[in-house]
Amino acid sequence: MLTDRIEPAWIDAFEEVFSLCRIRPEEQVVILSESQSRPLTRHLAELALARMKVPFFKLEVPTPPSPAGPVMRSTGASMALTGQGLAVRTLAAADVVVDLTLEGLMHAKETAEILKGGARIMNVSNEHPEALARTVPTPGLREQAKEAVARCRAAKAMTVRSAAGTDLRVNMEGAATVGVWGWTDRPGTLAHWPGGIIVSFPKAGSVEGRMAYRPGDVNLTFKRYFESAVDLTLENDYVTRIEGSGADAALMRDYYAAFGEKEAYAVSHVGWGFNRGARYEALTMYDRRETNGTELRAVAGNFLFSTGANEFAGRFTRGHFDLPMMGCDIALDGVPVVASGRLV
């Protein structure tokens, strides 16, 4: 088992990412964390900035208490800044926010105000530093992301198929597409590390078909690989049937139902990973409290299918599943971008 001793290579990784972000000594830098943030990550961020001779200050907010109901370990949306108006105004006045909150500010309500102030937000995922060092972004990821974004925005339809029976159809017209390459160097923008992901948020009424999950596919919400078959039927954006006789299907049916919200069953986003440094087997190598699973979102060639909140379709819910599918075919307007789980 790994110990939490500071390793020079981990500081190197943070310094490399901060250098890609073009963080300069004359800028105002804030390290944002919450009471349950990983102390090791916070310490590494401090050491890397000190190496770069960049002044910074730390802003810590309390981790919100978990509400009654389903156990949530990864919701995709941070509530850490809810009711923290002074903290939000402080962050908006900064040049750089090193975001170490548990969920990251990607889908926090307060993020728009922070970015509008001109700050750039660099979210460091709540992963063990070894995983972060393995997925340090490379300059080539930006070009791959930009190409993928252009193709998705130009496409009218995405299709996803697999030998197991997956047959998903997504209307891409009007979808909001974002490419994440792992760093940000422009004011008013946000990035997260690990990067190497393209995600599209379809408009309402855009997704139909079937997702056939088989052993070896991934349920990141539960931080486990599928061990039995689960088939999801999607009609008009919503999961309407969850079929399967094993524990995987039973757990998913129970978890979806526990939220008591129709929107929990709706599609959040679709996309694929292209970070060749991200490792598929990573979930087997860490205790669950050591990983948040974001590395597997970026594994090259996986189809990243998610249900839950989709602000671009006007849907909001606490329920969230990230479900990377391996070994499938993804095409945009009939042109393959992933074939049998490999990047084209």
Side-chain angles (χ1 to χ4, degrees), residues 154-223:
K156 294 183 178 180
M158 175 189 288
T159 56
V160 185
R161 297 189 173 94
S162 74
T166 292
D167 186 2
L168 194 72
R169 300 168 300 282
V170 182
N171 180 357
M172 295 291 286
E173 295 182 283
T177 299
V178 179
V180 180
W181 51 83
W183 77 89
T184 172
D185 56 8
R186 292 184 296 114
T189 59
L190 178 150
H192 63 75
W193 168 30
I197 306 169
I198 180 79
V199 292
S200 294
F201 296 83
K203 293 178 65 177
S206 296
V207 185
E208 300 272 350
R210 181 181 182 86
M211 295 292 291
Y213 285 92
R214 295 297 179 264
D217 291 323
V218 190
N219 185 330
L220 287 184
T221 298
F222 294 161
K223 299 181 184 178

Side-chain angles (χ1 to χ4, degrees), residues 164-167 209-215 217 219 226-235 238-254 256 265 323 325:
T166 292
D167 186 2
R210 181 181 182 86
M211 295 292 291
Y213 285 92
R214 295 297 179 264
D217 291 323
N219 185 330
F226 281 88
E227 297 179 355
S228 55
V230 177
D231 293 318
L232 306 179
T233 300
L234 288 108
E235 300 175 285
Y238 289 86
V239 175
T240 56
R241 284 197 298 280
I242 304 169
E243 301 173 275
S245 57
D248 293 290
L251 283 166
M252 290 185 71
R253 282 191 289 262
D254 184 74
Y256 269 123
Y265 293 86
L323 302 165
M325 177 175 281

Side-chain angles (χ1 to χ4, degrees), residues 44 57 71-72 145 152 154-155 160 175 221 229 329:
L44 287 165
F57 69 93
V71 177
M72 291 184 289
C152 284
V160 185
T221 298
D329 301 322

Side-chain angles (χ1 to χ4, degrees), residues 5-334:
R5 177 188 182 276
I6 295 287
E7 296 291 343
W10 298 347
I11 308 174
D12 293 343
F14 275 73
E15 185 176 4
E16 188 171 347
V17 171
F18 292 162
S19 295
L20 286 168
C21 294
R22 299 183 184 179
I23 299 177
R24 304 183 304 276
E26 62 269 23
E27 292 187 299
Q28 297 291 317
V29 179
V30 183
I31 298 176
L32 171 66
S33 63
E34 51 186 293
S35 53
Q36 286 292 316
S37 292
R38 198 185 298 250
L40 181 58
T41 308
R42 184 164 44 215
H43 197 180
L44 287 165
E46 295 169 8
L47 290 171
L49 290 171
R51 262 194 194 177
M52 299 169 68
K53 301 187 180 340
V54 173
F56 62 88
F57 69 93
K58 296 179 285 185
L59 195 163
E60 181 181 291
V61 295
T63 296
S66 298
V71 177
M72 291 184 289
R73 284 290 178 265
S74 181
T75 64
S78 176
M79 304 288 287
L81 293 178
T82 301
Q84 297 281 1
L86 179 57
V88 172
R89 292 191 293 274
T90 301
L91 296 170
D95 295 300
V96 181
V97 176
V98 178
D99 174 21
L100 306 184
T101 57
L102 295 179
E103 293 293 338
L105 298 180
M106 285 78 72
H107 301 296
K109 291 187 297 183
E110 300 80 10
T111 298
E113 182 178 345
I114 297 170
L115 295 176
K116 187 177 179 180
R120 57 193 190 275
I121 300 174
M122 183 63 238
N123 169 247
V124 181
S125 294
N126 183 30
E127 302 292 352
H128 194 280
E130 182 187 67
L132 293 172
R134 186 169 51 252
T135 57
V136 167
T138 59
L141 284 181
R142 174 156 60 184
E143 301 313 311
Q144 287 181 268
K146 287 184 174 181
E147 179 186 356
V149 167
R151 295 182 68 170
C152 284
R153 289 178 177 171
K156 294 183 178 180
M158 175 189 288
T159 56
V160 185
R161 297 189 173 94
S162 74
T166 292
D167 186 2
L168 194 72
R169 300 168 300 282
V170 182
N171 180 357
M172 295 291 286
E173 295 182 283
T177 299
V178 179
V180 180
W181 51 83
W183 77 89
T184 172
D185 56 8
R186 292 184 296 114
T189 59
L190 178 150
H192 63 75
W193 168 30
I197 306 169
I198 180 79
V199 292
S200 294
F201 296 83
K203 293 178 65 177
S206 296
V207 185
E208 300 272 350
R210 181 181 182 86
M211 295 292 291
Y213 285 92
R214 295 297 179 264
D217 291 323
V218 190
N219 185 330
L220 287 184
T221 298
F222 294 161
K223 299 181 184 178
R224 59 183 275 164
Y225 300 93
F226 281 88
E227 297 179 355
S228 55
V230 177
D231 293 318
L232 306 179
T233 300
L234 288 108
E235 300 175 285
N236 195 31
D237 291 354
Y238 289 86
V239 175
T240 56
R241 284 197 298 280
I242 304 169
E243 301 173 275
S245 57
D248 293 290
L251 283 166
M252 290 185 71
R253 282 191 289 262
D254 184 74
Y255 196 70
Y256 269 123
F259 289 96
E261 302 170 346
K262 179 184 178 184
E263 307 306 334
Y265 293 86
V267 173
S268 175
H269 55 78
V270 296
W272 66 89
F274 51 89
N275 188 333
R276 298 185 187 276
R279 296 300 307 174
Y280 165 69
E281 72 276 6
L283 278 185
T284 67
M285 302 299 176
Y286 299 97
D287 294 336
R288 285 180 179 169
R289 68 178 299 165
E290 290 183 331
T291 180
N292 209 25
T294 52
E295 178 175 358
L296 276 82
R297 290 160 45 101
V299 168
N302 90 85
F303 174 58
L304 181 58
F305 174 76
S306 299
T307 59
N310 178 351
E311 54 263 48
F312 301 98
R315 297 192 294 258
F316 302 92
T317 177
R318 294 181 302 147
H320 186 76
F321 272 107
D322 272 335
L323 302 165
M325 177 175 281
M326 318 307 294
C328 56
D329 301 322
I330 308 171
L332 296 172
D333 292 339

